[in-house]
Amino acid sequence: MSVSLVDEVRGAEFGDKRLDKRLSKVLSEFGAKPNLSIPAATHARAEMEGAYRFFDNGKVTPEKILQPHIDATRERITQSDFVLLVQDTTELDFTRPKQQVRGAGPMDSKVRRGAFLHPLMAFDLAGLPLGTVWQKSWAREKIETTLTKEEKNQKRKQVPIEEKESLRWVEGIRAAREVAEACPQTTCVCVGDSESDIYEFFSEPRSTKQGEVHLLVRAGQTRVTI
């Protein structure tokens, strides 16, 4: 299966044809040199400035960019009998020696600055990636550095799931359930590592009107089974 980046987002709509055209240009340049910075990946100063203006435009959002790809991924899922919907979190480290990136937040310490990305990606049984069906990104405003491990655990128990970062796992299975509903002829299995071994994750409904999403979770808690 050969799919170009430009084709994957061709249906993105920003309400401005110039932005639609700029997205294709940006992807063509960055796709050819994904390891380079914006100044290094673009061919001229005008292209570099155009890329920065594109990302700074209020009409441009990650959701609008990604939606055509999500739609195309769902179409590929319908062509498979069985898919794994795998979710996990990755760090985006934007730490700089002097001037820090605007919008970046503390990570595991106040020194490291960046953000987090939690995608839900589809794979067929052969391990072929079919694409992303959902994702969530966020930056922390602050982190607690004065509490002991025991105090942190006690505080975490008092905070509702809606206010925890672990809510991402629940949102991920909800997105997987939507995929199972949209692709009823495909067996969908939502996969998560030990961080997803939480009560709220397992208590989420898995049945849809037309099917069901199955679970595969790496155990992280000691439990008694009967």
Side-chain angles (χ1 to χ4, degrees):
M1 179 178 61
S2 178
V3 179
S4 73
L5 291 175
V6 174
D7 288 339
E8 283 293 285
V9 298
R10 195 175 297 280
E13 297 182 357
F14 306 108
D16 188 328
K17 292 184 178 180
R18 294 171 298 178
L19 293 176
D20 300 342
K21 184 178 180 180
R22 175 59 63 179
L23 175 60
S24 297
K25 182 67 175 178
V26 167
L27 285 180
S28 296
E29 293 181 328
F30 293 179
K33 304 173 183 178
N35 60 315
L36 300 182
S37 64
I38 292 178
T42 48
H43 296 90
R45 183 176 182 83
E47 296 300 329
M48 178 190 71
E49 293 178 347
Y52 280 122
R53 286 196 301 270
F54 174 80
F55 292 124
D56 197 43
N57 194 298
K59 296 180 180 179
V60 177
T61 65
E63 292 76 18
K64 289 182 179 180
I65 294 175
L66 196 61
Q67 191 57 53
H69 168 66
I70 291 176
D71 295 339
T73 300
R74 285 193 177 188
E75 179 61 30
R76 287 189 284 271
I77 290 174
T78 62
Q79 299 171 19
S80 299
D81 296 327
F82 189 103
V83 297
L84 298 175
L85 301 174
V86 184
Q87 57 174 326
D88 203 359
T89 308
T90 188
E91 295 181 341
L92 305 177
D93 193 336
F94 301 139
T95 307
R96 298 293 183 269
K98 297 180 180 179
Q99 184 178 4
Q100 295 303 321
V101 174
R102 184 179 63 186
M107 303 182 79
D108 56 354
S109 69
K110 293 183 178 180
V111 176
R112 292 182 66 226
R113 308 284 296 182
F116 298 87
L117 177 67
H118 188 84
L120 180 67
M121 300 185 65
F123 298 83
D124 67 12
L125 280 178
L128 180 69
L130 303 178
T132 300
V133 293
W134 172 84
Q135 72 174 32
K136 179 178 184 178
S137 60
W138 71 96
R140 292 170 176 164
E141 295 184 1
K142 61 180 180 179
I143 58 173
E144 180 57 65
T145 59
T146 61
L147 299 179
T148 65
K149 183 177 180 180
E150 182 177 346
E151 289 172 332
K152 287 181 180 179
N153 289 335
Q154 184 64 32
K155 183 178 180 179
R156 184 164 53 245
K157 293 178 181 179
Q158 299 172 351
V159 177
I161 185 67
E162 291 79 11
E163 299 178 16
K164 296 179 180 179
E165 289 185 2
S166 52
L167 178 65
R168 66 191 186 274
W169 299 102
V170 178
E171 293 172 322
I173 190 175
R174 290 172 181 170
R177 192 170 63 231
E178 291 181 3
V179 173
E181 171 69 15
C183 310
Q185 302 305 315
T186 304
T187 299
C188 297
V189 179
C190 185
V191 181
D193 67 10
S194 56
E195 283 190 86
S196 65
D197 186 7
I198 55 177
Y199 170 80
E200 291 84 359
F201 181 82
F202 289 107
S203 65
E204 272 294 306
R206 292 188 287 126
S207 298
T208 71
K209 294 180 179 180
Q210 303 190 71
E212 180 181 15
V213 59
H214 304 273
L215 299 181
L216 177 60
V217 176
R218 181 180 181 183
Q221 308 294 331
T222 301
R223 293 185 173 88
V224 176
T225 58
I226 300 177

